[in-house]
Amino acid sequence: MTTADQRPETGDQSGPPPATDIALLAGHVGQLVTIRGWVQHLRSSGKVRFLVVRDGTGLVQGVLVKGQLPDVDFQQFDRLTLESSLILEGRVRAEPRSPGGFELSVNRVEPLQIAQDFPIAPKGHGVGFLMDHRHLWLRSPRQQAILKIRDEVCRACRDFFHDRGFILVDTPILTPTACEGTTSLFETDYLDRGKAYLSQSGQLYLEAAAMALGRVFCFGPTFRAEKSKTRRHLTEFWMVEAEAAFFTLEDIMRLAEELVRAVVLKVLHQRAPELEVLERDPAALAAVAGAFPRLSYGEALARLQEQGQEMTWGDDFGGDEETLISQAFDRPVLVHRYPRQCKAFYMEADPENPDLALCVDMLAPEGYGEIIGGSQRVADLNTLLARLEEHKLPQEPLEWYLDLRRYGSVPHSGFGLGIERLVGWICGLKHVREAIAFPRLLDRLYP
Ligand code: 4AD
Ligand code: MG
């Protein structure tokens, strides 16, 4: 934080005043400051010129009154265009009617670069155009608000796990095998060693780390060559995953619920102004304070059938079914114990009904779909070997994973939370593509 008090005591106070974040102007009322940023708005009225400047921390209106600053500086105003970069010097005044609550009586204007015609106007562009200009679109108030909320979500996830004694372990992105089914693998040549695949999930490696450290988490990009062109699917998305030795399905369900509650409440507390920019009603999120409802797969299926859905036992739920199930609740719902046949090879069977997996999906309300997937893991070596065969997965590249069942295997469980899905719901976005700075989609790799 830069403040006037930190000015070097050179005895010479005639240099430029200290550079200040716009967000910190409240502490500088009456003082001369320097602001560095981009022009967001320009307006003239008689002998007065107004410009709104953005520096990433906030907005401030600068006022130039002819005769009250050097003519050369006053004239610089006429060169300015939207998104030009500049340095402004002026005295801070409290001005409740101004954006941010302060104004700058400008006495010096130093353009750094005069911007060409900015391609994005406040209104009237299609999504394709905006996505092609994503690198510039990020400057809009709405996109800034989403990025700040995403930052808060990521920080809250890390804090949550660290506060509970989980150790961060970074898992590899280049891997020799699939984790979540072979249909959505991104393949690449790995030097002279054959094929490598971009990680779909850090889970398998996290299981190894959990046998060393007990409770662990990872947080990184994951990749799925999803052929599905929906508002919930990215080909590159960020996942925070937890894995804990001796945790049961029940333990992991509770942990997942506590995580989502902690993150959403943190955003409500820290990012109210950004939610307002997004016109997101905080009441739609505040219900996370209460206990999350729980349904077994069987109960969820019965509800769908009552609503006229033609589904039979064993069918997996797609996006539409998830929306129908979650519509009954004002907060996320935990759906547990799906049929094993529609889930991954590593899930433990329910001892009370071996056709079911000890697994859970958390479905967000308002049609945002699955935000968390998790399960208890197969702990027994022979069971796991049988599963690999059932799923036609090769044993050799997974020998290391099998070792975890040979050397001190214990019951353990974990889950993964999709960051963009959670951010999408919190922000009330129509599509996850806005929940990440540079989305990667089926049909998009630019910019
Ligand atoms: O349910 P998934 O596939 O679970 C796993 O990958 C487990 N190995 C996690 C674990 O137990 N450690 O994915 C977890 C979450 C989903 O609930 C969803 O939020 C998100 O990742 N996700 C996607 N988000 C955006 N685009 C996609 N294509 C996604 N696929 C999954
Ligand atoms: Mg899943």
Side-chain angles (χ1 to χ4, degrees):
M1 186 191 300
T2 312
T3 68
D5 303 339
Q6 288 170 320
R7 277 170 84 162
E9 288 188 56
T10 56
D12 172 15
Q13 297 292 305
S14 61
T20 307
D21 284 352
I22 291 171
L24 300 178
L25 288 181
H28 294 275
V29 175
Q31 296 170 5
L32 274 178
V33 297
T34 301
I35 296 292
R36 301 175 293 193
W38 296 263
V39 174
Q40 189 157 316
H41 190 67
L42 293 163
R43 182 164 65 91
S44 296
S45 170
K47 291 188 166 162
V48 192
R49 306 282 178 270
F50 302 92
L51 77 174
V52 175
V53 172
R54 172 189 86 243
D55 75 346
T57 74
L59 297 176
V60 67
Q61 171 157 279
V63 184
L64 291 70
V65 183
K66 193 169 171 59
Q68 294 184 11
L69 71 165
D71 271 350
V72 284
D73 288 286
F74 187 79
Q75 282 152 14
Q76 291 288 7
F77 180 93
D78 294 333
R79 298 177 56 215
L80 295 175
T81 55
L82 290 185
E83 292 301 327
S84 291
S85 49
L86 82 178
I87 296 176
L88 281 185
E89 221 177 275
R91 199 170 292 280
V92 182
R93 285 190 290 115
E95 175 51 73
R97 288 168 303 176
S98 189
F102 300 93
E103 255 180 19
L104 212 59
S105 300
V106 175
N107 55 27
R108 193 169 76 85
V109 179
E110 183 190 336
L112 295 176
Q113 193 253 329
I114 300 299
Q116 301 178 20
D117 258 0
F118 197 63
I120 301 182
K123 280 200 173 67
H125 299 296
V127 169
F129 179 88
L130 290 170
M131 292 301 281
D132 285 342
H133 295 84
R134 184 66 176 163
H135 50 297
L136 302 177
W137 189 21
L138 294 181
R139 303 183 189 189
S140 79
R142 179 182 158 81
Q143 299 306 318
Q144 287 181 61
I146 296 168
L147 289 176
K148 287 182 177 177
I149 289 172
R150 179 187 169 107
D151 168 65
E152 199 68 50
V153 165
C154 295
R155 178 204 299 243
C157 287
R158 293 194 183 97
D159 287 349
F160 176 88
F161 286 118
H162 281 144
D163 288 349
R164 281 163 181 74
F166 282 70
I167 306 291
L168 176 71
V169 175
D170 300 312
T171 52
I173 286 171
L174 290 168
T175 61
T177 41
C179 177
E180 295 297 323
T182 47
T183 53
S184 66
L185 275 176
F186 271 108
E187 194 181 280
T188 178
D189 289 327
Y190 193 74
L191 307 172
D192 54 0
R193 312 228 57 177
K195 296 291 176 205
Y197 307 98
L198 301 188
S199 176
Q200 300 167 309
S201 159
Q203 176 194 323
L204 304 187
Y205 295 95
L206 217 46
E207 286 184 55
M211 298 305 130
L213 296 160
R215 295 191 297 273
V216 291
F217 73 108
C218 64
F219 198 161
T222 45
F223 306 86
R224 309 249 173 126
E226 298 274 9
K227 302 297 181 299
S228 21
K229 204 173 171 181
T230 79
R231 64 196 194 93
R232 298 168 181 179
H233 286 95
L234 296 163
T235 51
E236 176 179 309
F237 63 97
W238 282 65
M239 183 150 55
V240 60
E241 296 180 79
E243 195 72 33
F246 306 106
F247 269 43
T248 60
L249 174 65
E250 175 60 32
D251 296 328
I252 215 74
M253 282 170 71
R254 194 177 326 121
L255 190 72
E257 176 174 341
E258 285 170 5
L259 170 66
V260 170
R261 177 175 301 121
V263 170
V264 173
L265 291 179
K266 192 69 182 274
V267 171
L268 282 172
H269 190 251
Q270 302 285 1
R271 292 294 177 189
E274 283 75 18
L275 291 171
E276 204 180 317
V277 169
L278 299 173
E279 296 174 12
R280 181 65 166 140
D281 180 7
L285 301 169
V288 295
F292 294 6
R294 294 177 178 202
L295 293 177
S296 67
Y297 169 88
E299 288 166 332
L301 181 70
R303 281 172 175 244
L304 289 170
Q305 288 166 336
E306 275 164 32
Q307 294 176 58
Q309 295 297 303
E310 282 183 27
M311 295 195 75
T312 51
W313 194 93
D315 292 345
D316 199 2
F317 300 151
D320 293 342
E321 287 80 31
E322 289 172 0
T323 298
L324 284 172
I325 296 164
S326 62
Q327 262 168 8
F329 308 103
D330 65 350
R331 65 196 75 167
V333 51
L334 295 157
V335 182
H336 55 87
R337 294 178 173 81
Y338 285 68
R340 272 205 304 115
Q341 66 192 61
C342 49
K343 290 291 178 183
F345 75 95
Y346 51 72
M347 293 186 181
E348 190 75 279
D350 184 353
E352 304 199 348
N353 179 353
D355 290 336
L356 301 178
L358 289 178
C359 68
V360 62
D361 280 1
M362 186 187 290
L363 311 181
E366 302 171 77
Y368 282 90
E370 181 196 326
I371 52 174
I372 284 182
S375 67
Q376 191 166 324
R377 321 304 192 187
V378 171
D380 174 66
L381 178 63
N382 289 327
T383 312
L384 192 54
L385 282 167
R387 288 298 183 75
L388 291 183
E389 231 178 88
E390 258 173 56
H391 287 256
K392 299 193 175 60
L393 290 168
Q395 183 180 326
E396 195 240 296
L398 282 171
E399 275 304 329
W400 67 272
Y401 185 67
L402 293 162
D403 272 353
L404 306 178
R405 279 75 184 167
R406 294 187 180 109
Y407 303 104
S409 188
V410 299
H412 62 287
S413 303
F415 65 76
L417 163 70
I419 292 295
E420 291 77 16
R421 298 251 183 110
L422 179 59
V423 170
W425 168 52
I426 291 176
C427 293
L429 308 180
K430 290 203 191 80
H431 194 298
V432 285
R433 65 185 162 221
E434 275 187 84
I436 184 164
F438 295 100
R440 298 292 171 241
L441 301 155
L442 193 55
D443 55 0
R444 179 163 299 276
L445 191 58
Y446 177 93

